[in-house]
Amino acid sequence: MEMSPFIVFMASIFTNNMILANFLGMCSFIAVSKEKSAAWGLGQAVTFVLTGTSVINYLVYHYVLVPYGLVYLRFIVFIILIAAFVQLVEMIIERYFPVLHLHLGIFLPLITVNCAVFGVSLFTVIRQYNLFQAAAFGFGSGVGWTMAIVALAGIRQKIKNAPLPKGLEGAGITLIITGIMALAFIGFSGIIHVQ
Amino acid sequence: MVTQIMPRNFLQRQKIMRKVLISLIPVILGGVYFFGLRLLLLLVVVTVAGIATEYLFARKRKAKVTEAVLVSSVLFTLSLPVSTPFWAAALGISFGIFFGKEVFGGFGHNVFNPAIVGRTFLLISFPGHLTAAWTRIFTTFPGGFIHYIAPPLDALTQATPLALFQTGETLPLSKVIVGNVFGSMGETSVILLLLGGIILLAGKAADWRLMLSPMLGFVGLTSVLKLAGVGGIPHPLYGLFTGGFFFLCIYFVTEPVTAPKTIPAKWLYGILIGVITVIIRYFGIFAEGASFALLIMNIFVPLLDDAVKSLQALRKKEAAA
């Protein structure tokens, strides 16, 4: 597919946002969006892991799985690579950047089970991206995810003292807000076609 | 007026909202003139549905129905084409009031503009009713005052000014300003909208910054694109005066609850609404991007306000140090 990595990057933020168009990575999106600072921290970590794993999974898929006819193992292999990458990143950060680890520490293990990370690796294969497109897609998806979760955290902090109906406090209102955000982002659809 | 018929303890009176309602009278009368008496019937249906939705929640909260719901209902009605089915209009306003306002705790707490939430929901759920079913307009007195509804347009041969533009045609600018164009009920006449805007500003019911900044963003980006030679971009003023953008600038962007509170954030909010409208209108699949642009910027209002506040705090600290 001929498309400049920059276009892929922009598309993955606006028209094909992981949260607001594909609804991937919802669990941590809802759980960690109470505070803006926590949301920002998790967003950074997700962006870093997404960029790294989309490149690694791309390389493994095209230089190991395809040549040896093991494509049917891609789900397991991708998950293992993501988990390994997150572990490795956590160890490295803990050893060499203790301040950053203090900041991101709790969020890193969460990312292993973030569907957006796995989704990006699979989309990379389905849409037949090349290496640069895959990297741009991973990075852009991370930026888009961060933008969405920080904005959601902003809204949730704004309505913290609002007299919400009892049954909607917490996850309920968060899902409604997410729905309206997705409604708004439909407006961007069609500006860039990535599929 | 509706407000006098209702018992005193049913409706919470809000001065600003009353002013907005008054400023909408010329727009409503203009809509009737151009499109026919069906507008009034739609207005009644939508207002009843809107009040009913709010009443369900207000009763639980032991609060009154606010006058703001009347404003939302009128604005929502005016943002529809005159041929919108009654059930669709009622559904749209109920959705907007329910999910855009009441679940957040009612007036003053909503993050998104209820009328726009309802309209966007209708637009993507029943696109045929909102984007294809346009009618002709009356151009001679007494116009729509003695007709139920304007005759339908032949959808295959005629379209709204925005859709027309995509086929390379434009209408004369003078026609666009007076309102001799078809489209949604409230958006046709720039002169009447301007009158409404002046009433709003004179009554201090709206902030001029919020009115002006989206237009600046819109005209600015369109001019830049036109100078850069991008194809398919109309004259900036033509784009400003056609479609629902002008209507949105005056009545929706200025809505005090969902707009930012700090002045720099207001400018940025407005300008970005204009910019996003241009992007969606001329590059996306929707002919009209204004309501999406507003909803998108509603998402970022808390962040804009926070950013401005922390910047101002930082500057104060530096000045003190």
Side-chain angles (χ1 to χ4, degrees):
Chain A
M1 195 193 244
E2 286 306 310
M3 195 184 272
S4 96
F6 179 70
I7 298 283
V8 175
F9 173 74
M10 294 308 280
S12 56
I13 297 177
F14 294 109
T15 60
N16 291 60
N17 190 296
M18 269 300 143
I19 282 285
L20 301 174
N22 294 313
F23 302 101
L24 289 173
M26 290 297 286
C27 8
S28 34
F29 183 70
I30 287 167
V32 195
S33 53
K34 278 197 201 82
E35 296 280 332
K36 270 196 298 280
S37 53
W40 174 237
L42 183 65
Q44 282 172 293
V46 166
T47 309
F48 184 65
V49 171
L50 265 173
T51 318
T53 55
S54 65
V55 171
I56 291 173
N57 283 342
Y58 173 87
L59 293 174
V60 169
Y61 182 81
H62 284 278
Y63 294 103
V64 179
L65 297 186
V66 174
Y68 293 98
L70 296 172
V71 173
Y72 63 91
L73 283 178
R74 64 185 183 276
F75 279 51
I76 294 176
V77 171
F78 284 175
I79 285 281
I80 292 172
L81 284 172
I82 290 168
F85 184 80
V86 172
Q87 274 305 309
L88 202 71
V89 168
E90 191 178 5
M91 284 192 283
I92 292 173
I93 290 182
E94 190 172 14
R95 176 75 180 79
Y96 294 104
F97 309 98
V99 180
L100 192 66
H101 184 260
L102 211 69
H103 193 56
L104 297 182
I106 15 161
F107 302 125
L108 277 170
L110 262 178
I111 298 169
T112 316
V113 289
N114 188 323
C115 337
V117 180
F118 187 45
V120 162
S121 292
L122 289 178
F123 276 135
T124 308
V125 172
I126 293 168
R127 296 179 186 164
Q128 300 173 329
Y129 285 149
N130 63 31
L131 181 60
F132 293 109
Q133 286 170 333
F137 182 52
F139 183 55
S141 297
V143 172
W145 201 89
T146 309
M147 179 184 77
I149 195 173
V150 173
L152 177 67
I155 293 175
R156 284 185 73 175
Q157 283 192 321
K158 186 182 175 186
I159 61 164
K160 209 163 55 186
N161 298 321
L164 304 180
K166 270 260 149 48
L168 282 175
E169 280 163 11
I173 193 74
T174 312
L175 282 169
I176 290 175
I177 297 170
T178 312
I180 299 178
M181 284 167 81
L183 191 68
F185 267 68
I186 287 176
F188 281 127
S189 61
I191 294 176
I192 312 172
H193 293 281
V194 293
Q195 269 168 316
Chain B
M1 290 279 315
V2 193
T3 47
Q4 257 96 56
I5 303 166
M6 289 173 186
R8 256 183 181 284
N9 54 2
F10 181 74
L11 193 86
Q12 181 173 354
R13 278 141 198 275
Q14 290 167 309
K15 255 196 185 143
I16 289 198
M17 294 302 157
R18 181 72 52 85
K19 283 177 190 159
V20 177
L21 282 177
I22 290 169
S23 77
L24 276 164
I25 290 173
V27 186
I28 296 174
L29 289 179
V32 174
Y33 173 71
F34 289 123
F35 293 103
L37 293 167
R38 190 172 192 268
L39 186 154
L40 296 178
L41 214 56
L42 263 175
L43 204 60
V44 171
V45 170
V46 167
T47 310
V48 168
I51 290 178
T53 313
E54 174 142 322
Y55 177 67
L56 283 178
F57 278 84
R59 201 183 47 177
K60 268 261 187 271
R61 276 200 309 270
K62 297 199 169 59
K64 294 179 199 166
V65 172
T66 54
E67 224 169 311
V69 75
L70 296 179
V71 173
S72 295
S73 302
V74 174
L75 287 175
F76 174 80
T77 313
L78 290 174
S79 74
L80 300 173
V82 70
S83 57
T84 312
F86 292 114
W87 63 266
L91 180 70
I93 191 68
S94 302
F95 184 93
I97 299 287
F98 190 105
F99 284 107
K101 184 171 160 194
E102 295 308 320
V103 297
F104 291 96
F107 177 79
H109 303 289
N110 49 318
V111 179
F112 302 100
N113 189 312
I116 291 291
V117 170
R119 185 189 145 75
T120 317
F121 164 75
L122 270 193
L123 179 66
I124 61 162
S125 308
F126 311 101
H129 292 305
L130 262 72
T131 55
W134 303 108
T135 57
R136 283 170 199 286
I137 51 156
F138 296 108
T139 47
T140 48
F141 192 79
F145 288 109
I146 53 165
H147 289 278
Y148 174 60
I149 185 171
L153 273 182
D154 187 349
L156 289 174
T157 53
Q158 280 178 293
T160 63
L162 282 182
L164 265 183
F165 181 75
Q166 289 178 331
T167 61
E169 278 180 78
T170 49
L171 297 162
L173 202 58
S174 60
K175 223 178 162 187
V176 171
I177 291 176
V178 176
N180 286 348
V181 288
F182 23 86
S184 293
M185 290 179 280
E187 70 190 30
T188 47
S189 172
V190 173
I191 290 181
L192 291 177
L193 286 172
L194 217 52
L195 185 65
I198 290 169
I199 298 176
L200 273 185
L201 290 179
K204 294 202 169 70
D207 190 335
W208 62 273
R209 297 177 189 90
L210 288 170
M211 240 181 243
L212 190 66
S213 53
M215 300 183 197
L216 280 181
F218 187 95
V219 172
L221 182 59
T222 337
S223 310
V224 167
L225 286 173
K226 202 146 177 65
L227 287 179
V230 180
I233 308 286
H235 189 277
L237 288 182
Y238 182 78
L240 179 66
F241 293 149
T242 50
F245 184 67
F246 200 75
F247 181 43
L248 184 113
C249 290
I250 288 182
Y251 284 107
F252 291 93
V253 182
T254 54
E255 202 260 329
V257 178
T258 52
K261 305 287 177 285
T262 50
I263 288 171
K266 280 180 182 177
W267 282 105
L268 200 59
Y269 172 75
I271 289 173
L272 283 173
I273 287 176
V275 166
I276 296 173
T277 304
V278 172
I279 293 174
I280 295 178
R281 214 187 241 189
Y282 300 133
F283 301 104
I285 53 172
F286 295 99
E288 180 52 89
S291 45
F292 283 114
L294 181 78
L295 210 52
I296 289 169
M297 285 317 294
N298 275 171
I299 297 175
F300 297 104
V301 165
L303 290 186
L304 285 178
D305 263 341
D306 284 352
V308 169
K309 271 179 207 155
S310 47
L311 263 180
Q312 282 171 343
L314 206 73
R315 221 177 268 166
K316 233 179 221 170
K317 223 185 216 172
E318 270 174 14

